[in-house]
Amino acid sequence: MKPQFLIAAPHSGAGKTTVTLGLLRSLQRKGLKVQPFKCGPDYIDPMHHTIAAGRPGINLDRFMMSDAHVQELYKRNIADAGAGIIEGVMGLFDGSVKMEGSSAALAAFLDVPVILVVNAKAMAYSAAALLYGYKHFFKEITIAGVIFNFVNTPSHYRILREAAADIGITALGYLPVQDDIHIPSRHLGLHMPEDSGYEAVIDRAADHLEKHIDLDLLLQLTLRPVREVSTSLPQTHRGKLRVGVAYDAAFNFIYPENVRAIASEVKYFSPLKDTVLPDVDLLYFPGGYPELHLPALSANTAMLQQLQQYSGKILAECGGMMYLGEAITDESGQTFTMAGLLPVRTSMQHKKLSLGYRQVYIDNILLKGHEFHYSRYEKAPVIASADIRVLNARGETLDSPVFRTNNILAGYMHFYFGDNADSLLDCLFV
């Protein structure tokens, strides 16, 4: 038995990330090893979780991953921890199609209770109706407690606590507004963990929670056994590879299980600073924020020349794909030369959000992943192969090119292949 629960909210913006980070740090202070998880495909939140908990944050996603893989990841990573915390995605019941892949679906699947974070700034006893709906809408989950956020007075909280009691949900406390624990947003989401003062923000969030939330009661209400799982992660029949992973301030959106699945040896390198490519079988350029480092990337001509001479296999996703293109234009209209390995030019001007799960069929091999970017192609590239189809979560065809040459697989999609490495390698090693 150990405390394990999912932090959810009725909608985005209720404060679940700040609460999650504060809880991770607070329980760590209590001497618990706390394992953080993230429901869904987000690659930034797990970076924050890793800093707050001192353990790597792990994605659990029932669209991109098989159910057996989700179970295996959860069991393996929580095994030596004293507690497990899953941060939900969007609203509790929001999924790719209705509830599919939602926080509620994951909580039911793993049999963990939910702690609901409610933005009660402009709400009083009406919270009873909201909590009643969330408690009874989906009977397969248990809402073990509620934390009321943005509540500034004990009298306000008293009304909210009475509302929760009338519905049969335990109120665990309330959090007054505190501006110095707010994590500001960047154009793709939260600020990155390396931003100045980040550790202090997490500590202040933990201090805030410890002052206002009954942590001992929360731990007591969320004690659950960890389900036994008999599955094991598949091994690639091709054998694992020596993989060079681009990793620095420009490229860092990585699902750790991807690297784990394909790499016998990992060599990290920086397109910003290094001038020599590692000696590997496969170069992996993940997404990130290349648009924030265009002068340095373009000025590192030694690295660009190394790439132009490289004859091995390359996997590139989103920002990595942009870097392999001919040029990137920043928001001001200035254009910077890139590697020129793909016949594309991308731009940060006239930004438009592209967001959602993706299914890619390449020669009838299925790869899954997620797309999240504001940049765009300056002109629509032509898909070279009719054997590549890109679909969204509903199975609708999308005009979102995926490039496949004799040595490159690239596109805006962030692939997930932690349980599907052979499919990815079959597409690369044709």
Side-chain angles (χ1 to χ4, degrees), residues 128-259:
L130 183 148
L131 293 176
Y132 180 88
Y134 274 76
K135 180 179 180 179
H136 294 283
F137 178 74
F138 184 49
K139 294 289 189 178
E140 294 184 36
I141 61 171
T142 298
I143 298 179
V146 58
I147 294 171
F148 293 106
N149 203 5
F150 309 115
V151 175
N152 284 326
T153 66
S155 59
H156 184 188
Y157 175 60
R158 183 171 60 248
I159 299 170
L160 296 166
R161 186 180 59 212
E162 291 169 348
D166 287 349
I167 303 305
I169 295 177
T170 302
L172 296 168
Y174 71 100
L175 296 172
V177 174
Q178 185 167 328
D179 292 335
D180 65 354
I181 64 171
H182 174 66
I183 302 171
S185 295
R186 192 179 261 176
H187 60 284
L188 279 184
L190 297 176
H191 267 227
M192 301 300 289
E194 71 270 14
D195 290 340
S196 176
Y198 186 75
E199 281 276 6
V201 172
I202 294 178
D203 281 330
R204 288 194 295 271
D207 293 341
H208 197 48
L209 259 72
E210 291 167 11
K211 189 182 301 183
H212 298 282
I213 304 301
D214 190 336
L215 296 179
D216 290 333
L217 179 57
L218 186 157
L219 294 176
Q220 177 186 337
L221 292 173
T222 57
L223 279 172
R224 295 291 189 280
V226 179
R227 281 183 176 177
E228 286 298 316
V229 180
S230 59
T231 58
S232 60
L233 294 175
Q235 297 295 316
T236 169
H237 66 256
R238 288 182 170 274
K240 293 190 176 183
L241 309 172
R242 296 172 304 149
V243 180
V245 180
Y247 190 82
D248 54 24
F251 305 100
N252 46 46
F253 293 170
I254 299 174
Y255 297 123
E257 290 300 316
N258 280 354
V259 178

Side-chain angles (χ1 to χ4, degrees), residues 36-48:
F37 300 93
K38 174 65 182 180
C39 174
D42 187 284
Y43 21 75
I44 299 177
D45 281 346
M47 297 184 198
H48 292 78

Side-chain angles (χ1 to χ4, degrees), residues 312-338:
K313 300 295 183 179
I314 302 176
L315 173 64
E317 304 167 335
C318 200
M321 179 274 297
M322 295 166 66
Y323 176 66
L324 295 190
E326 296 171 355
I328 302 175
T329 301
D330 67 15
E331 290 185 86
S332 71
Q334 186 173 0
T335 298
F336 296 85
T337 300
M338 294 293 139

